Amino acid sequence: CKNRAREAWLEARTAELLAVPYLHLVFTLPSALNELCLHHPKVMYGLLFEATWYTVNKLGQDERWLGAKMGMIAILHTWGSILSLHPHLHCLVPAGGLDEKGNWKHSKSKGKYLFNCSVIGNGFWSRYVKLLRKAIQKEQLPIVEDALFKSLFEKEWITYAKRPFGHTDQVLNYLG
């Protein structure tokens, strides 16, 4: 039953692809947030999408990196290959964007990368923590101990960025 929905999704996403290189970015939540993800998935995963798009969009608009309007396809994966909770977003991002006149602007690296990984990771991490605090203030999430926030600052958040393996269609197939 789900194969038909998957095929329809793949067909629709393939039709949306531009004739430009794409990059594969992955944004992962640290395991310290797993319990909140299990009990409040709608809020936690909503924050994941919001922080990811905010980071990509903000960096894309920055002239130091691109200076253009970005696009992105993002897919949530919640479990890792060994069936443990491992929330992360796979993102397919064009290696460029539209300038203020609507013209295509290629990435400064000619499609090899968009942004420095540490810049992506730091931007994502700081935005996610800010959104997490706001969700707690709005009582969308329970109040958490300060130790949780401390643990979020102790480890580097993993952000993976590289050119897609093979052709973009292969990445879409994997994500679907």
Side-chain angles (χ1 to χ4, degrees):
C1 291
K2 291 189 179 193
N3 195 37
R4 186 172 288 165
R6 178 185 177 276
E7 291 301 319
W9 182 87
L10 283 171
E11 190 174 311
R13 296 303 74 77
T14 300
E16 294 171 343
L17 293 177
L18 303 171
V20 299
Y22 279 79
L23 296 113
H24 183 194
L25 307 179
V26 182
F27 294 82
T28 304
L29 291 181
S31 60
L33 295 173
N34 281 359
E35 190 168 332
L36 282 171
C37 289
L38 278 173
H39 297 289
H40 306 278
K42 186 174 181 179
V43 174
M44 295 298 289
Y45 299 149
L47 299 178
L48 176 56
F49 276 96
E50 187 176 342
T52 298
W53 173 242
Y54 178 88
T55 303
V56 170
N57 188 43
K58 184 172 181 178
L59 289 172
Q61 290 178 12
D62 188 325
E63 286 292 336
R64 290 174 292 177
W65 298 106
L66 181 62
K69 185 176 181 181
M70 300 291 303
M72 179 176 84
I73 295 172
I75 303 299
L76 174 65
H77 284 186
T78 53
W79 299 93
S81 58
I82 58 169
L83 299 181
S84 60
L85 187 60
H86 180 67
H88 58 286
L89 281 186
H90 287 270
C91 304
L92 197 55
V93 181
L98 298 177
D99 67 16
E100 63 280 346
K101 294 179 182 176
N103 297 315
W104 184 256
K105 187 174 183 181
H106 290 282
S107 67
K108 293 179 179 181
S109 70
K110 308 251 188 298
K112 293 178 186 169
Y113 64 91
L114 275 171
F115 321 117
N116 178 296
C117 273
S118 65
V119 171
I120 298 171
N122 289 338
F124 168 65
W125 164 82
S126 89
R127 187 64 180 180
Y128 194 92
V129 171
K130 182 177 183 177
L131 292 171
L132 185 62
R133 289 184 192 275
K134 280 184 181 179
I136 291 167
Q137 288 172 350
K138 292 179 181 177
E139 299 181 357
Q140 296 170 328
L141 291 170
I143 295 173
V144 297
E145 296 179 25
D146 288 339
L148 173 69
F149 280 104
K150 185 179 179 199
S151 74
L152 296 178
F153 293 99
E154 289 175 349
K155 291 184 179 177
E156 186 177 356
W157 288 36
I158 300 169
T159 306
Y160 167 89
K162 75 174 208 174
R163 295 188 72 170
F165 47 91
H167 192 268
T168 303
D169 289 347
Q170 289 175 305
V171 178
L172 274 179
N173 239 349
Y174 168 74
L175 298 179

